[in-house]
Amino acid sequence: MFDRIEEKVRAGERLTPEEGLYLYQEAPMDRLGPLANWVREKLHGNRTSYIINMHLNYSNVCAVKCMFCAFRRDKGEEGAYEMSMEEMIHRVAPLKDVPEAEVHIVGGLHPDYPYSYYPQLLSTLKEHYPQAHLKAFTAVEIDYFAELAGKSPAWVLANLKEAGLGSMPGGGAEVLTDRIHKKLYRDKMGPQKWLDIHKEAHKLGIRTSATMLAGHIETYQERVTHLVRLRELQDETGGFLAYIPLRFHPENTPLRKLNFMDSEGVLRQVAVGRLMLDNFANIKAYWVMSGLDNAVKSQHCGANDFDGTVVDERITHMAGCETPVGVTEERLRNLIREAGREPARRDALYNIIEVPVAG
Ligand code: V47
């Protein structure tokens, strides 16, 4: 079976769901990794892109409970927090003079904030940091905001765009099947709505990313279904910038008894994503969740991006992950060189803006 898949990939032919399933369940890693790497090098050569970014998780107070989440708190519960506007302005200050820096803004579904809080958050940050790119709010937040505003998601997206929204992150997709929705995240919107909101965003010219949270109770078949659904939407709109496989961290969650996905599992996720998502230009290794070592190895299994300086991320760190809370640009470049790749700094829309000279 692998020979046939390899032939198809080299001929630029699309893989079927059955072939995707085989890649997850049976394909030997010593052939899968190099084949995904072949596609990656065909598209991106020896470059690995990275971005200077930070995460701003404005509050962890959340009206819903997802089984995989260690971040959420009820209002008033120990560990609950709400950042003031002043605090957020202060946190973003280090990026003030950095051109094309990205601020990745996501939070819980706050039970009390009015809709007006969210456009105001964006416009205030834009006022202070006009050069920053605001990548903000998952489809789950957009759906919730639409409910708060009594408007459609399309209205909310257009309104937020006017307030300074630059693009949308890919969180909240989890695994795009009804079974996983019912089992793990039934309180929030389901798979079809996640796809519909991304489609609306693409229609408005808002580029987005896509994630898959794997390594919990999902089956390989469900992972394939997820990838095929992303691929279909990308065929339709072309609005996805990147795919980011996320490694589930069970600690401090109701699923804490589950095993942690091993290194091979992490690399297989990257490689299968690269081969099945033949219409996605970028596959990102998100080192905060994968671990730095796997993010380095991913650069030879299909990934072409190494995200990022990622200062101040909280969602994974509250689930017990032990990676640093951020890395310097210098360290990031060295890690990419350690992977045998040439670092290239990009903007939030994946345009290469600087290729640093090694020194
Ligand atoms: O939607 C929640 C996941 C996501 C846990 O778009 C967990 O560029 C692991 O989406 N263990 C948020 N994961 C992060 C995210 C993301 C990250 C980096 C880049 C981009 C991008 C998006 O984190 C959530 C959820 O799927 N998550 N809890 C956990 N315990």
Side-chain angles (χ1 to χ4, degrees), residues 53 55 66-71 102 104 106 135 138 140 168-175 188 194 208-214 242 244 246-253 260 284 286 288-289 307 310 313 315-316 318-320 346 350:
N53 62 351
H55 283 227
C66 301
M67 297 286 281
F68 47 75
C69 186
F71 172 68
E102 177 189 271
H104 179 158
V106 292
K135 176 166 92 177
T138 65
V140 177
M168 266 173 66
E174 323 313 357
V175 180
K188 67 185 192 195
W194 187 95
T208 73
S209 292
T211 58
M212 184 201 307
L213 178 66
I244 308 120
L246 303 176
R247 178 195 207 180
F248 175 57
H249 283 253
E251 240 179 89
N252 303 329
T253 78
F260 192 37
K284 173 147 98 181
Y286 183 48
V288 175
M289 290 189 192
D307 184 16
V310 201
E313 192 275 349
I315 296 175
T316 333
M318 289 179 80
R346 66 166 172 88
Y350 289 79

Side-chain angles (χ1 to χ4, degrees), residues 63-64 109-116 118 138-157 160 186-190 193 197:
V64 305
L109 305 183
H110 199 289
D112 303 334
Y113 289 173
Y115 171 69
S116 57
Y118 302 99
T138 65
V140 177
E141 285 160 292
I142 301 296
D143 178 57
Y144 183 64
F145 300 167
E147 205 179 293
L148 291 179
K151 306 274 189 189
S152 67
W155 183 91
V156 167
L157 287 164
L160 293 175
R186 65 189 320 156
D187 295 349
K188 67 185 192 195
M189 60 168 223
K193 234 180 181 179
I197 288 177

Side-chain angles (χ1 to χ4, degrees), residues 12-311:
E13 281 172 41
R14 176 157 283 191
L15 300 182
T16 63
E18 294 69 35
E19 287 164 336
L21 191 59
Y22 164 82
L23 292 177
Y24 272 132
Q25 284 181 321
E26 290 175 63
M29 207 48 215
D30 59 350
R31 294 193 70 187
L32 174 61
L35 185 60
N37 187 52
W38 181 84
V39 177
R40 179 256 193 249
E41 289 188 353
K42 193 169 74 147
L43 292 171
H44 301 281
N46 199 35
R47 272 191 190 164
T48 287
S49 55
Y50 69 89
I51 188 161
I52 298 181
N53 62 351
M54 69 171 299
H55 283 227
L56 195 61
N57 301 131
Y58 54 87
S59 174
N60 63 348
V61 175
C62 189
V64 305
K65 287 189 175 151
C66 301
M67 297 286 281
F68 47 75
C69 186
F71 172 68
R72 77 159 307 279
R73 293 287 185 278
D74 287 323
K75 202 174 160 73
E77 188 184 341
E78 204 189 326
Y81 72 87
E82 293 164 355
M83 284 183 193
S84 68
M85 206 53 238
E86 289 67 37
E87 185 181 352
M88 289 193 265
I89 292 167
H90 178 72
R91 280 177 186 270
V92 181
L95 297 183
K96 186 173 175 45
D97 298 317
V98 183
E100 306 293 351
E102 177 189 271
V103 187
H104 179 158
I105 307 167
V106 292
L109 305 183
H110 199 289
D112 303 334
Y113 289 173
Y115 171 69
S116 57
Y117 172 87
Y118 302 99
Q120 214 168 343
L121 194 173
L122 297 180
S123 56
T124 307
L125 287 177
K126 265 299 195 202
E127 227 169 81
H128 284 78
Y129 309 109
Q131 91 299 348
H133 177 103
L134 306 183
K135 176 166 92 177
F137 308 132
T138 65
V140 177
E141 285 160 292
I142 301 296
D143 178 57
Y144 183 64
F145 300 167
E147 205 179 293
L148 291 179
K151 306 274 189 189
S152 67
W155 183 91
V156 167
L157 287 164
N159 186 251
L160 293 175
K161 189 178 177 190
E162 221 176 279
L165 181 74
S167 63
M168 266 173 66
E174 323 313 357
V175 180
L176 295 168
T177 69
D178 291 332
R179 187 187 79 96
I180 296 292
H181 177 221
K182 280 207 194 88
K183 288 229 174 234
L184 298 189
Y185 62 103
R186 65 189 320 156
D187 295 349
K188 67 185 192 195
M189 60 168 223
Q192 191 54 49
K193 234 180 181 179
W194 187 95
L195 292 161
D196 290 345
I197 288 177
H198 280 260
K199 187 170 164 175
E200 287 295 345
H202 298 169
K203 270 199 225 161
L204 289 165
I206 300 167
R207 306 295 301 274
T208 73
S209 292
T211 58
M212 184 201 307
L213 178 66
H216 40 86
I217 60 160
E218 84 287 357
T219 63
Y220 287 128
Q221 183 61 59
E222 285 171 322
R223 289 194 201 179
V224 171
T225 301
H226 182 104
L227 292 176
V228 169
R229 295 186 89 172
L230 294 180
R231 189 168 75 178
E232 283 169 355
L233 182 54
Q234 181 74 331
D235 273 345
E236 212 177 314
T237 66
F240 285 120
L241 289 162
Y243 168 64
I244 308 120
L246 303 176
R247 178 195 207 180
F248 175 57
H249 283 253
E251 240 179 89
N252 303 329
T253 78
L255 302 176
R256 66 182 74 81
K257 293 218 169 74
L258 294 181
N259 290 332
F260 192 37
M261 188 192 269
D262 64 12
S263 183
E264 187 188 314
V266 172
L267 300 178
R268 192 175 286 272
Q269 261 297 76
V270 172
V272 178
R274 171 59 81 192
L275 295 176
M276 288 298 287
L277 297 175
D278 53 15
N279 51 7
F280 275 64
N282 300 295
I283 310 282
K284 173 147 98 181
Y286 183 48
W287 61 261
V288 175
M289 290 189 192
S290 69
L292 283 165
D293 50 344
N294 289 321
V296 167
K297 289 180 195 153
S298 296
Q299 300 306 321
H300 289 273
C301 291
N304 65 292
D305 190 72
F306 203 118
D307 184 16
T309 49
V310 201
V311 177

